[in-house]
């Protein structure tokens, strides 16, 4: 995966993860709210139905009270009570029922086939012994009992809420009930509304997530394009700087060849021609002229070696970096007249390929800048190496300079190019300058020694 793709992924993945977590929390909270809302609706409906059932039973009790309270309690009075209760109804599914303490059905307004049967052990689909539960509820005085029973209008077993009381003198249980399909519909409707709300919310979150992801993606693409353009501009400037440096170096070598070597060789050529002409005429000073020309030829050879050394020190390849910088310091001292102190320790130079040349060029550039701009009298160069790193410092006692301003100036190779050389090899550059002391401090890491196989 490319770096730009990784950056876009790092921007999108946390966003997607956060939105996913938020969506999960919204779903969980909405479901909890839906359950609470359904429970509240169910409790509210059941409370109203309990009150309704209690009123029905109290109404039935008041209706049969004259026969129940006359104290006779004979079979005829009981039969009249059962007949009166059978006539009471509130809709096709609203009726009364009567059981004795042994679970025998004495009256059932909608299921006459049950009358006379002992239903003590009858259970609903959930395994609840219905008559036992009703008798227990009636005897405890609680009165309300929820169970499943056959619904007359549909013939289906449906959840039902009953309210029962005991007619203790006769040992009867009187009760009525209401089927709870409307409660189930109301609670299911509440849950459906919550589910629809969750669906709508998730659609909104998904739309927001899509817009956010597209914005992040577009931002990443824009950033990549911007970075590419910036990198291209930097690369163009770097190429221009390299070409400019190459041209400057060619111009310097050309000037040195033209002003030095070329004129010297022309002078030697004239002297050889003069010596040849003098010797042909038998004159005595021909050998002197020839010797002078030979000496000048030696100077030309020395000049060529000097130019070659400036281009690349031969000691760098033969004796290594410490010797090459030592020779550079000695030649600089001789040429500039400044006092140069050079110190180095013995170390195993295990720098990355190209790093010794870069350090040599950095030292060369630093000394050139000191000679041209510092106005210094003394220069100290130290080169110390260890198993982990190599440190080069160049210190002078010149007038100093403004480091940030010079680095922004981009003059010549400049401090910026020195910094780029150091950073290319994973090193560290520190440059400080005050009047009377300027220090260039470079630290490069040593490479790991090769292990023998």
């Amino acid at each position: 995966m490319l770096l730009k793709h990784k950056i876009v992924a790092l921007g999108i993945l946390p966003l997607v993860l956060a939105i996913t977590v938020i969506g999960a929390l919204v779903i969980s909270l909405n479901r909890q709210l839906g359950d609470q809302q359904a429970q509240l609706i169910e409790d509210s409906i059941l409370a109203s139905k309990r009150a309704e059932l209690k009123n029905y039973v109290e109404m039935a009790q008041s209706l049969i009270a004259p026969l129940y309270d006359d104290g006779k309690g004979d079979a005829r009075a009981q039969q009249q009570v059962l007949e009166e209760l059978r006539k009471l109804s509130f809709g096709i599914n609203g009726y009364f029922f009567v059981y004795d303490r042994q679970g025998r059905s004495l009256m059932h307004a909608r299921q006459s086939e049950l009358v006379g049967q002992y239903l003590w052990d009858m259970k609903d689909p959930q395994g609840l012994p219905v008559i036992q539960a009703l008798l227990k509820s009636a005897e405890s005085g609680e009165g309300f009992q929820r169970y499943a029973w056959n619904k007359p209008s549909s013939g289906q077993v449906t959840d039902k809420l009953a309210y029962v009381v005991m007619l203790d003198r006769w040992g009867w249980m009187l009760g009525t009930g209401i089927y709870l399909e409307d409660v189930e519909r109301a609670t299911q409707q509440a849950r459906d509304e919550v589910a629809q709300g969750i669906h709508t919310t998730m659609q909104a979150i998904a739309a927001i997530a899509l817009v956010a992801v597209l914005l992040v993606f577009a931002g990443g693409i824009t950033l990549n394009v911007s970075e590419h353009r910036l990198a291209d501009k930097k690369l163009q400037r770097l190429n221009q700087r390299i070409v400019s440096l190459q041209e400057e170096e060619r111009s310097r070598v050309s000037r040195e060849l033209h002003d030095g070597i070329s004129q010297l060789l022309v002078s030697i050529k004239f002297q050889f021609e003069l010596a040849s002409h003098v010797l042909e005429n038998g004159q005595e000073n021909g050998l002197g002229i020839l010797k002078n020309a030979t000496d000048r030829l030696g100077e030309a050879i020395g000049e060529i070696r000097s130019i070659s050394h400036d281009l690349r020190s031969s000691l760098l390849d033969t004796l290594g970096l410490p010797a090459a910088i030592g020779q550079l310091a000695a030649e600089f001292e001789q040429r500039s007249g400044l006092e140069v102190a050079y110190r180095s320790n013995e170390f195993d130079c295990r720098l990355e390929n190209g790093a010794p040349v870069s350090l040599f060029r950095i030292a060369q550039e630093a000394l050139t800048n000191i000679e041209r701009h510092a106005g210094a009298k003394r220069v100290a160069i130290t080169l110390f190496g260890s198993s982990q790193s190599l440190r080069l410092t160049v210190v002078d006692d010149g007038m100093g300079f403004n480091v940030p301003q010079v680095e922004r100036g981009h003059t010549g190779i400049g401090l910026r190019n020195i910094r780029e050389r150091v950073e290319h090899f994973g090193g560290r550059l520190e440059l400080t300058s005050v009047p009377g002391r300027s220090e260039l401090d470079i630290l490069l890491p040593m490479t790991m020694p090769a292990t023998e196989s």
Side-chain angles (χ1 to χ4, degrees), residues 316 414 436:
L316 195 60

Side-chain angles (χ1 to χ4, degrees), residues 365-408:
E365 177 67 19
L367 292 177
T368 301
N369 289 337
I370 291 173
E371 183 180 9
R372 292 177 180 175
H373 310 295
K377 296 181 180 179
R378 288 178 293 277
V379 180
I381 303 174
T382 58
L383 183 68
F384 289 106
S386 65
S387 58
Q388 289 81 26
S389 61
L390 177 64
R391 185 174 187 178
L392 171 67
T393 59
V394 181
V395 182
D396 69 83
D397 60 353
M399 66 183 67
F401 59 96
N402 188 319
V403 176
Q405 182 178 356
V406 173
E407 284 188 325
R408 288 193 300 266

Side-chain angles (χ1 to χ4, degrees), residues 74-105:
D74 55 10
R76 183 177 178 182
Q78 292 177 351
Q79 188 62 34
Q80 288 180 352
V81 166
L82 293 177
E83 288 298 329
E84 293 293 333
L85 292 174
R86 184 180 292 109
K87 296 176 183 179
L88 291 178
S89 64
F90 42 96
I92 190 172
N93 296 312
Y95 57 87
F96 287 88
F97 53 83
V98 179
Y99 290 85
D100 62 16
R101 293 184 187 274
Q102 288 73 40
R104 183 167 62 96
S105 176

Side-chain angles (χ1 to χ4, degrees), residues 200-232:
T200 303
T201 302
M202 291 308 299
Q203 286 183 333
I205 292 176
I208 294 172
L210 179 60
V211 172
V213 169
L214 291 177
L215 288 175
V216 172
F217 182 76
I221 295 298
T222 303
L223 180 62
N224 285 331
V225 172
S226 176
E227 290 297 325
H228 274 300
R229 290 177 178 174
L230 183 60
D232 289 341

Side-chain angles (χ1 to χ4, degrees), residues 221-279:
I221 295 298
T222 303
L223 180 62
N224 285 331
V225 172
S226 176
E227 290 297 325
H228 274 300
R229 290 177 178 174
L230 183 60
D232 289 341
K233 290 180 180 179
K234 289 182 178 180
L235 184 60
Q236 289 177 0
R237 289 198 297 267
L238 180 61
N239 289 334
Q240 292 173 356
R241 197 158 63 242
I242 291 174
V243 171
S244 176
L245 294 176
Q246 289 175 343
E247 292 300 325
E248 288 180 4
E249 188 65 16
R250 290 191 182 113
S251 298
R252 184 185 68 81
V253 174
S254 175
R255 286 195 303 270
E256 291 182 356
L257 291 175
H258 180 270
D259 297 340
I261 300 298
S262 179
Q263 295 181 6
L264 192 57
L265 291 177
V266 169
S267 174
I268 293 171
K269 177 178 178 294
F270 286 151
Q271 287 184 340
F272 275 120
E273 289 176 351
L274 178 60
S276 175
H277 179 72
V278 170
L279 290 175

Side-chain angles (χ1 to χ4, degrees), residues 100-119:
D100 62 16
R101 293 184 187 274
Q102 288 73 40
R104 183 167 62 96
S105 176
L106 301 178
M107 188 276 297
H108 200 292
R110 296 292 183 270
Q111 292 177 285
S112 58
E113 69 274 9
L114 298 178
V115 176
Q117 295 186 25
Y118 286 90
L119 306 177

